[in-house]
Amino acid sequence: MKSMGGPGLLRRLGQGGVALTATATIIALLIAAPVLSVFSNIFVGGTGATWAHLVDTVLGEFVLNTIVLCIGVGLGVGSIGVTCAWLTTMLDFPGRRFFEWALVLPMAVPAYVMAYVYTDFLQFVGPVQTALRETFGWHAGQYWFPDVRTVGGAVAMFMFVLYPYCYMLARAAFLERAGGMLEAGRSLGLGPWRCFFRVSLPLARPAVVAGVALALMETLADFGTVSYFGVQTFTTGIYRAWFSLGDRIAAAQLSAVLLGCVVVVLALERATRGRARFHNTSRQQVARSRLRLPLGWGLLAAFACAMPLLLGFLLPAGLLMKMALTEGDAQFGERFLHLARNSFLLAALAAVLAVALALVLAYAARLARSRLPHMLNRVVALGYAVPGSVIAVGVLIPLTRIDAQLAQWWQAAFGVNPGLLITGGIAALVYAYLARFLTVALQAVEGSLAKITPSMDDASRSLGLGRWQTLRRVHVPLLRGTLLTAALLVFVDVMKELPATLVIRPFNFDTLATQAHTLAADERLAEASTAALTIVAVGLLPMFAISRQIARGRRR
């Protein structure tokens, strides 16, 4: 024992543990600071005129449109996701093996890109209405065609992009919980539909509600789609209060209201469970319960699965490809490469930092003897549920004050005004990305770190390695695949993020997302297709990884 360091080793390990916990605490507080900053402005006065203007003009519209969007998206996502999950899990029909993994691909398409594509496809001079006029000899004013740029159109865009959340969680629940119980239900005379409504759906309710809640949080966080469609919501109101009215405090207070909506969604998701528990007491595999459909019904099931995939991915991706190849961005070349470089730089920085910070937070929680690191990690996880516009407001309000203080100190010390040291560059933007997406990396790292047996930590320390050395030389090599996956997920999320980028980006600093939004807002949809297609192509990387996992898992 003397060669191992004895009390000296224990003392060093204890000191290392304190340092690790302190480091994790500082990181968690910094990441949670934007959300706390938003809440701190709730009771700040001096915004009466702005609020009076909002109440008299658009606040009621904000509330109504937000409620309509949540109800419509919740019903649409739930119905599409549960239906497709049930069909691909419990029934056998032509194309089932393809649909079970391909149905997640619409997640690669940002909702605002979907809005741009369908607006061009369905507008008066678009291919659909042009074909109708040529076929039936109609002229303008002689027929009615639905306008996609409405609240209903926004609901449709969100439905076809976000249903994979519900699909994946519901499918996992059906696979894990329904095997033997379905056999028992059928032995009692229940048909496939009665088994679905009376057995499978009740068992999968927590997963379905969780999937719908995720979709609703993404809906509340969206800015590009509702802004382009002219639908006034809390997110567009935050942007308007900040830039049009110049009132940052009112923007923060609107952000707090929107954050309250997110909290309500999460609370409802938790409340729907009540004290009910949904355990699977059977080990029987669901493969024995899959019902082979007759050809007619099988084709109908294939059609039901094909429509969400067609409308949510194949059609918009094909239209983007056509527009990019035939017309595309007139500035394609050096300008486009500059935008791509900005996007990839931001995404890479955020991904690397997110994985590094997530590793520290997860490791501190693993080694801690108290509940503090675990509680702080749950606080950090709230950032993913907060819309990007709220994060942007929470980042800018304190950082602009810090910037002003730094500039005053610098000028007093050196006689030169340095300008904006933090918010004038990309530091504030990367900070916002970390506050928003760190939880993506944290959840992946925590899940994989929990699978490593604690005896490996004990063996490493018995050989004289400290906590940080154990992390670097033992855990990181074992977690290499998970770290790469987490970095990829954060990378893609940052590439797609629009509202935070629009609010915080430095002057004359554009990305692919802001370029697509700017061109689409100017009705230059064909030119926006190049940047939009690049974002979709990058977003396909994690979707293919998820699709392969689905295709391999429980293959029957």
Side-chain angles (χ1 to χ4, degrees):
M1 293 297 293
K2 185 176 181 180
S3 62
M4 294 168 55
L9 173 62
L10 297 178
R11 185 165 51 252
R12 290 195 302 272
L13 290 177
Q15 293 172 351
V18 172
L20 181 61
T21 302
T23 302
T25 301
I26 294 172
I27 293 172
L29 292 177
L30 287 175
I31 296 301
V35 177
L36 300 178
S37 173
V38 170
F39 277 121
S40 68
N41 289 276
I42 294 179
F43 302 106
V44 175
T47 61
T50 301
W51 272 101
H53 171 73
L54 293 174
V55 171
D56 293 337
T57 55
V58 292
L59 186 60
E61 190 176 2
F62 289 169
V63 175
L64 179 61
N65 288 339
T66 302
I67 292 175
V68 171
L69 279 175
C70 288
I71 294 175
V73 173
L75 294 175
V77 165
S79 59
I80 295 174
V82 170
T83 300
C84 293
W86 168 260
L87 291 175
T88 56
T89 304
M90 298 302 175
L91 305 176
D92 198 7
F93 54 90
R96 175 187 62 82
R97 291 180 178 270
F98 167 75
F99 288 122
E100 67 181 4
W101 64 263
L103 281 166
V104 304
L105 294 180
M107 289 184 68
V109 185
Y112 58 86
V113 171
M114 184 86 76
Y116 306 156
V117 172
Y118 274 102
T119 297
D120 181 78
F121 186 57
L122 300 175
Q123 65 182 337
F124 181 79
V125 296
V128 174
Q129 293 199 51
T130 300
L132 289 175
R133 290 194 300 271
E134 292 177 352
T135 302
F136 299 101
W138 293 338
H139 299 283
Q142 294 182 338
Y143 68 98
W144 175 84
F145 195 84
D147 184 8
V148 69
R149 298 175 73 164
T150 60
V151 177
V155 169
M157 299 300 105
F158 291 128
M159 281 170 46
F160 291 122
V161 169
L162 300 177
Y163 80 82
Y165 282 115
C166 190
Y167 165 74
M168 290 189 295
L169 294 177
R171 184 173 183 274
F174 290 148
L175 285 170
E176 294 171 358
R177 297 172 177 167
M181 287 190 164
L182 281 178
E183 292 293 343
R186 290 177 184 174
S187 67
L188 296 175
L190 299 180
W193 290 108
R194 294 179 68 187
C195 279
F196 169 73
F197 285 108
R198 299 183 63 178
V199 179
S200 294
L201 190 58
L203 287 172
R205 190 180 72 179
V208 174
V209 174
V212 171
L214 287 172
L216 292 183
M217 285 188 288
E218 290 289 339
T219 301
L220 292 172
D222 179 83
F223 173 78
T225 305
V226 292
S227 174
Y228 183 66
F229 279 2
V231 177
Q232 298 296 323
T233 64
F234 277 107
T235 307
T236 59
I238 294 167
Y239 198 82
R240 179 176 179 179
W242 187 286
F243 290 99
S244 299
L245 303 178
D247 194 332
R248 297 184 175 185
I249 301 301
Q253 292 171 344
L254 279 173
S255 301
V257 175
L258 181 56
L259 192 56
C261 294
V262 174
V263 172
V264 169
V265 171
L266 294 175
L268 288 175
E269 186 273 333
R270 179 67 61 178
T272 54
R273 302 185 189 183
R275 296 186 176 181
R277 296 295 180 264
F278 302 84
H279 301 297
N280 180 25
T281 58
S282 173
R283 297 288 183 182
Q284 189 170 352
Q285 296 295 320
V286 73
R288 301 176 184 176
S289 303
R290 178 168 285 132
L291 177 65
R292 177 71 181 180
L293 293 176
L295 181 60
W297 286 104
L299 293 177
L300 185 61
F303 176 80
C305 292
M307 290 308 296
L309 179 61
L310 173 66
L311 297 175
F313 178 76
L314 296 179
L315 180 59
L319 292 172
L320 277 177
M321 181 72 72
K322 179 183 177 182
M323 287 191 290
L325 294 177
T326 57
E327 299 179 64
D329 193 343
Q331 298 179 348
F332 186 79
E334 184 178 356
R335 166 68 174 167
F336 180 82
L337 294 178
H338 180 72
L339 295 171
R341 185 199 66 185
N342 290 345
S343 296
F344 278 80
L345 173 64
L346 289 172
L349 279 174
V352 171
L353 290 174
V355 169
L357 296 179
L359 190 60
V360 174
L361 292 174
Y363 191 55
R366 174 186 176 90
L367 299 182
R369 297 180 179 180
S370 67
R371 297 293 303 171
L372 178 61
H374 297 277
M375 295 173 58
L376 291 174
N377 287 359
R378 301 289 75 78
V379 173
V380 169
L382 292 176
Y384 192 66
V386 179
S389 54
V390 176
I391 292 291
V393 172
V395 166
L396 280 182
I397 287 180
L399 288 188
T400 50
R401 295 171 182 168
I402 295 174
D403 252 348
Q405 293 295 326
L406 287 176
Q408 291 178 7
W409 176 84
W410 191 279
Q411 188 168 17
F414 302 102
V416 179
N417 189 339
L420 301 175
L421 296 175
I422 303 176
T423 56
I426 64 172
L429 190 53
V430 173
Y431 178 36
Y433 292 148
L434 292 176
R436 177 89 163 88
F437 300 119
L438 179 59
T439 184
V440 176
L442 181 59
Q443 289 180 350
V445 175
E446 280 185 330
S448 293
L449 199 59
K451 297 177 182 179
I452 300 177
T453 175
S455 62
M456 299 191 71
D457 298 65
D458 298 334
S460 173
R461 293 172 193 170
S462 68
L463 295 175
L465 298 182
R467 294 175 184 267
W468 294 105
Q469 290 178 309
T470 300
L471 176 64
R472 179 174 58 88
R473 299 179 62 179
V474 177
H475 294 303
V476 170
L478 294 174
L479 297 172
R480 185 177 292 112
T482 297
L483 298 180
L484 290 175
T485 301
L488 181 60
L489 291 173
V490 175
F491 185 92
V492 172
D493 279 335
V494 172
M495 286 284 293
K496 296 190 296 184
E497 175 62 27
L498 179 62
T501 309
L502 282 174
V503 175
I504 304 180
R505 64 191 170 117
F507 177 74
N508 202 27
F509 186 92
D510 290 314
T511 65
L512 293 173
T514 61
Q515 175 77 347
H517 173 74
T518 301
L519 293 175
D522 293 338
E523 300 300 332
R524 299 157 65 186
L525 295 172
E527 295 182 53
S529 63
T530 305
L533 184 62
T534 305
I535 296 172
V536 173
V538 173
L540 283 175
L541 297 176
M543 292 304 100
F544 280 132
I546 294 173
S547 299
R548 290 183 60 187
Q549 183 178 1
I550 292 175
R552 291 176 178 177
R554 295 180 177 269
R555 176 66 73 181
R556 291 173 293 275

